[in-house]
Amino acid sequence: MEVSSLPISASQRGKLISAGYTSLSSLSSISPSHLAQDLKISENEALEILKVASRRSGLDRIDNGACAIVNGAQTAWDMLHEEESSVRITTSCSDLDDIIGGGINCKEVTEVGGVPGIGKTQLGIQLAINVQIPADYGGLEGKAVYIDTEGSFMVERALQIAEACVEDMQEYNSFLRKNVRACQIRKEPKDFLENIFYFRICSYTEQIAVVNYLEKFISEHKDVKVVVIDSITFHFRQDFEDMALRTRLLGGMALKLMKLAKKFNLAVVLLNQVTTKYSQGSFQLTLALGNLLQLRSGMMFFICLYLLWLFLK
Amino acid sequence: MANKLISQMGLPKSIANVFAARNIITAKDALSLTEFELMELLDVGLAEVTLALAHISEISCPSFQTALSLLEQRIQNEYLAGHLPTRLKGLDAALCGGIPFGVVTELVGPAGIGKTQFCLKLALLASLPSSYGGLDGRVIYIDVESKFSSKRMIEMGVNSFPEIFHTEGMAKEMAGRILVLQPASLFEFTESLQQIKVSLLQHHVKLLIIDSMTALVSGENGQGPPRQHALGWHISFIKSLAEFSRIPVVVTNQVRSQGRDEASRYLFQDQNRTDAPEDPTSFDSHLVAALGIQWAHAVSIRLVLESRSGQRFIKLAKSSISSPMAFLFDITGSGISLLDDDGVEMTGPDINAINFQGHSGIINFDTGMTR
């Protein structure tokens, strides 16, 4: 029954079914006042139900090129153009940038996993600094949100990385001085720290709350261009009795993050721990709760930091 | 934050009543359900549920601060911006001042290498007045294997700070600041931890040392590698203790031999069973840190103490503020001292290896004391 899959409350659904409206087509040609009379509800409620139903059956006609054919579609050519012209966040390691196609992409969720001590937090802090590189130097000139679930964010390290970034920019500046107009970027390392919004999360409830709150926060701070969550699974690994609940919560969170990335055109970077898994007769290292996060978000890929370590050797 | 009551969040009366009627009292209850589940449970429309959830999330979300204000707070309020100097120049330089506050630092190494000596010295350093570079506070030393020796500690004090310790009554005062607990079981340890959390701030405790974490778990099981799940709660508790009270927590960890099937070689590809078993170049070492990978994720700084060809090294194996460095050290009358403050930078997997070669395993007190 199509009506049972509509996102409306149980009692509204019950009334629809008992009044005989079981399919979406039955709702397509009825007026709100008629529906209100049939179901004995207010006209506003009836209007809401009809809106939900029509959205589902794609009857809205939005005049927008490809959208005229199928609601919400975009042509492959437009997507290619968008991808090529989007600015990426550099990881400051050119080899790594090359592997992932130029840098961390906005509108995407990237998962980074690795063994303890390999440099996940470093990468997270680096991205929070690099997103702030001014547009004149090929950066996004954005701000960063750093969600710390384990307390691994070291502010002294962030300052060190910011200082190195400023040095890099000054070097670049002097190198191109003849070509570029005197754009005196007077960015101090402390300015970088001012643009990192730091949240310290101590439980899974707070983690879900912050992911929900991000929508409002980012609409108030529109220049946030990267959200780093370090690490995404820490609070879900200890004392969680209800495994089914854990799956639902993680899946829901992954979906919300994807929506956030798309809606505000920012990059979401998830740092994850590893665990050992017994498979095919031996112990393998694998991402913690990896199957739960991967299945839910088709646009994720993870960087094997072992490879990165090989490159850096 | 998770236990905030929904009734006190300022939601519109109608929806607040519905939440209460369905027994969803705290933020945790509400946020553990997806939007659709809540819709079903409360019999309310999706838009209303989304609004209510957004409101609840905003209130239960901890407030943010910029990284800059974090730094300024630390510089203003804390000693050396949150570091306990170890008096080992090279190590302190690498750690941006010393053992950091608010995180867990781990000391791992084979038996007899000097972990307890290091801990004794740190306990002493923390109890010193700030004019001598100490934290001027109490120290809680959880001594699981009864290795604490006050005599040795006073000896270290006399050798390193003769001016203080020769003064009348100072030794008693310094030693009086160090509280030693000797829990006999994991259960007792858990209880002590909870007590500690309560009294930490009011009694000016500035350092917590747990020597050793492994002994607590292995005592319970007896055989096989220590099960890390037994410590899951303790790991997060100790971390949160360190963080909310902004004190350094130092934990020692022991080593065990590596089993054949262990994935501690950090290789992601499948192991080919027909390969020659022990290829020395691809094998880190035969010793690995006990307590497993979940614990390894939880610590922020890992110091590996090892011995190679009769020389002892202290290596900075995991640290987010320094490059991997190894320092040659020795144990003397005044505790641990570095033989070379510059240290050697080690790249590659060697930094994580734990070697134990060419060392008799017993600290020779006679030669040590003549320095």
Side-chain angles (χ1 to χ4, degrees):
Chain A
M1 251 188 286
E2 294 167 347
V3 156
S4 55
S5 64
L6 284 178
I8 50 181
S9 70
S11 53
Q12 286 173 341
R13 198 178 309 144
K15 287 183 186 157
L16 273 176
I17 296 176
S18 54
Y21 297 95
T22 51
S23 67
L24 291 176
S25 51
S26 57
L27 289 170
S28 61
S29 50
I30 193 164
S31 73
S33 44
H34 198 157
L35 189 64
Q37 258 181 1
D38 260 350
L39 300 184
K40 303 202 188 15
I41 53 177
S42 70
E43 243 193 72
N44 278 335
E45 258 194 82
L47 191 61
E48 286 301 319
I49 296 179
L50 284 178
K51 267 200 209 155
V52 169
S54 66
R55 213 180 301 145
R56 177 60 68 89
S57 59
L59 290 175
D60 278 354
R61 292 233 174 277
I62 303 176
D63 222 85
N64 193 353
C67 293
I69 308 171
V70 180
N71 199 9
Q74 204 185 5
T75 65
W77 181 256
D78 286 337
M79 284 184 75
L80 176 66
H81 185 72
E82 210 180 271
E83 256 181 57
E84 285 183 339
S85 56
S86 64
V87 186
R88 287 155 182 261
I89 310 176
T90 172
T91 57
S92 285
C93 169
S94 52
D95 289 326
L96 182 58
D97 277 351
D98 281 339
I99 302 177
I100 55 178
I104 302 284
N105 212 355
C106 288
K107 281 198 171 175
E108 271 181 13
V109 177
T110 308
E111 182 183 2
V112 177
V115 295
I118 198 142
K120 306 185 286 297
T121 304
Q122 298 296 300
L123 188 61
I125 300 178
Q126 183 83 63
L127 291 172
I129 299 279
N130 283 357
V131 74
Q132 301 178 43
I133 295 177
D136 287 327
Y137 296 88
L140 276 159
E141 212 163 325
K143 299 193 176 161
V145 165
Y146 197 98
I147 298 175
D148 190 0
T149 62
E150 300 179 328
S152 27
F153 183 78
M154 292 271 175
V155 70
E156 306 96 332
R157 184 59 178 149
L159 189 65
Q160 280 177 352
I161 296 180
E163 284 166 356
C165 191
V166 167
E167 261 179 51
D168 268 354
M169 292 201 300
Q170 282 170 346
E171 220 177 276
Y172 192 69
N173 216 6
S174 59
F175 181 68
L176 289 183
R177 210 180 320 156
K178 2 189 219 320
N179 304 336
V180 178
R181 59 174 170 81
C183 51
Q184 290 297 326
I185 308 282
R186 284 265 157 257
K187 234 182 143 97
E188 298 287 308
K190 293 212 167 149
D191 294 335
F192 279 94
L193 292 190
E194 213 174 12
N195 294 332
I196 301 179
F197 299 109
Y198 177 77
F199 287 85
R200 174 68 176 104
I201 301 293
C202 303
S203 69
Y204 80 84
T205 314
E206 287 184 10
Q207 194 171 331
I208 298 176
V210 76
V211 170
N212 288 344
Y213 175 57
L214 273 180
E215 171 134 12
K216 178 163 185 215
F217 183 83
I218 297 183
S219 22
E220 291 167 359
H221 297 90
K222 280 252 158 63
D223 35 9
V224 167
K225 284 287 166 211
V226 72
V227 173
V228 180
I229 304 189
D230 176 14
S231 63
I232 184 101
T233 48
F234 180 66
H235 289 296
F236 289 89
R237 291 182 73 192
Q238 17 249 44
D239 39 71
F240 222 102
E241 310 87 23
D242 187 349
M243 293 298 148
L245 175 65
R246 187 170 79 171
T247 311
R248 286 202 299 278
L249 290 176
L250 276 174
M253 206 166 55
L255 222 58
K256 283 197 197 119
L257 290 169
M258 264 175 66
K259 268 204 265 184
L260 202 75
K262 288 230 151 69
K263 178 172 177 186
F264 293 104
N265 195 15
L266 47 83
V268 176
V269 179
L270 307 178
L271 304 179
N272 201 358
Q273 299 175 347
V274 294
T275 180
T276 50
K277 183 172 85 167
Y278 191 78
S279 80
Q280 297 165 1
S282 67
F283 284 94
Q284 308 270 336
L285 274 182
T286 175
L287 290 180
L289 306 181
N291 54 332
L292 297 178
L293 288 173
Q294 273 172 17
L295 282 175
R296 294 290 167 165
S297 322
M299 292 269 259
M300 268 196 217
F301 61 92
F302 79 90
I303 299 174
C304 171
L305 278 175
Y306 179 68
L307 280 177
L308 164 64
W309 166 72
L310 278 182
F311 270 103
L312 293 179
K313 240 170 79 154
Chain B
M1 288 283 174
N3 293 327
K4 275 204 166 151
L5 296 175
I6 295 190
S7 50
Q8 295 172 351
M9 285 191 188
L11 281 171
K13 259 298 173 167
S14 51
I15 193 101
N17 290 337
V18 179
F19 272 109
R22 294 287 174 209
N23 213 17
I24 301 185
I25 317 278
T26 62
K28 183 172 176 175
D29 298 331
L31 293 172
S32 303
L33 297 170
T34 62
E35 285 166 344
F36 288 102
E37 287 169 347
L38 270 177
M39 229 170 60
E40 286 286 312
L41 191 60
L42 306 175
D43 197 10
V44 179
L46 184 62
E48 269 192 80
V49 164
T50 317
L51 262 171
L53 270 185
H55 187 85
I56 296 175
S57 303
E58 187 175 347
I59 309 244
S60 356
C61 181
S63 54
F64 70 93
Q65 46 177 185
T66 61
L68 185 62
S69 71
L70 204 63
L71 182 67
E72 285 170 348
Q73 247 177 26
R74 304 255 170 102
I75 295 180
Q76 220 176 18
N77 301 342
E78 293 176 354
Y79 183 69
L80 281 188
H83 292 274
L84 165 63
T86 60
R87 293 297 179 118
L88 302 171
K89 257 182 49 198
L91 189 62
D92 281 346
L95 287 174
C96 297
I99 307 275
F101 291 6
V103 291
V104 180
T105 302
E106 179 192 20
L107 287 172
V108 60
I113 196 106
K115 304 188 292 294
T116 306
Q117 299 292 307
F118 197 89
C119 291
L120 289 174
K121 189 68 186 288
L122 281 178
L124 188 74
L125 288 172
S127 64
L128 290 177
S130 21
S131 45
Y132 286 94
L135 298 178
D136 206 15
R138 291 205 168 90
V139 176
I140 295 187
Y141 194 109
I142 300 184
D143 178 25
V144 183
E145 297 175 309
S146 305
K147 287 206 214 133
F148 186 86
S149 158
S150 352
K151 193 164 162 211
R152 174 60 175 144
M153 203 177 64
I154 307 259
E155 183 203 351
M156 283 192 205
V158 168
N159 283 338
S160 332
F161 306 99
E163 348 53 273
I164 313 181
F165 281 81
H166 284 306
T167 321
E168 194 65 41
M170 281 306 269
K172 181 172 174 194
E173 190 180 331
M174 294 300 118
R177 291 183 181 176
I178 301 175
L179 308 162
V180 182
L181 281 168
Q182 290 175 329
S185 67
L186 188 61
F187 179 71
E188 267 187 48
F189 173 65
T190 313
E191 284 198 335
S192 321
L193 268 188
Q194 288 175 322
Q195 270 182 9
I196 289 172
K197 183 165 188 176
V198 173
S199 58
L200 215 75
L201 291 171
Q202 32 172 179
H203 292 125
H204 304 290
V205 175
K206 301 284 181 180
L207 172 64
L208 173 64
I209 299 182
I210 304 176
D211 178 18
S212 71
M213 201 72 182
T214 335
L216 281 169
V217 192
S218 48
E220 303 290 304
N221 295 326
Q223 13 165 263
R227 284 168 37 84
Q228 56 212 34
H229 297 295
L231 288 182
W233 176 85
H234 300 84
I235 294 175
S236 34
F237 190 82
I238 292 173
K239 268 182 81 112
S240 66
L241 196 82
E243 243 191 272
F244 98 87
S245 54
R246 289 295 301 166
I247 61 167
V249 174
V250 177
V251 179
T252 58
N253 192 6
Q254 287 156 355
V255 296
R256 58 184 172 88
S257 10
Q258 195 173 23
R260 278 285 315 273
D261 281 334
E262 303 251 5
S264 51
R265 290 171 237 171
Y266 301 163
L267 293 171
F268 279 88
Q269 58 260 38
D270 215 68
Q271 291 304 314
N272 196 337
R273 300 304 242 156
T274 58
D275 273 354
E278 266 86 72
D279 175 20
T281 52
S282 68
F283 224 69
D284 284 342
S285 80
H286 290 273
L287 290 178
V288 287
L291 291 184
I293 210 159
Q294 200 178 358
W295 170 254
H297 272 300
V299 302
S300 306
I301 309 263
R302 174 177 262 198
L303 295 166
V304 175
L305 284 81
E306 64 165 9
S307 122
R308 260 180 288 141
S309 0
Q311 294 181 311
R312 297 189 216 218
F313 289 89
I314 181 166
K315 303 194 288 197
L316 203 52
K318 178 182 179 186
S319 160
S320 52
I321 39 179
S322 21
S323 41
M325 304 279 283
F327 300 93
L328 206 52
F329 77 93
D330 202 5
I331 306 204
T332 62
S334 52
I336 296 220
S337 62
L338 293 185
L339 295 174
D340 173 13
D341 277 322
D342 288 325
V344 168
E345 188 160 335
M346 299 182 78
T347 49
D350 280 342
I351 192 73
N352 290 308
I354 308 178
N355 298 298
F356 197 47
Q357 306 148 2
H359 181 71
S360 68
I362 301 173
I363 299 174
N364 202 334
F365 274 110
D366 295 324
T367 54
M369 288 226 258
T370 51
R371 286 203 195 223

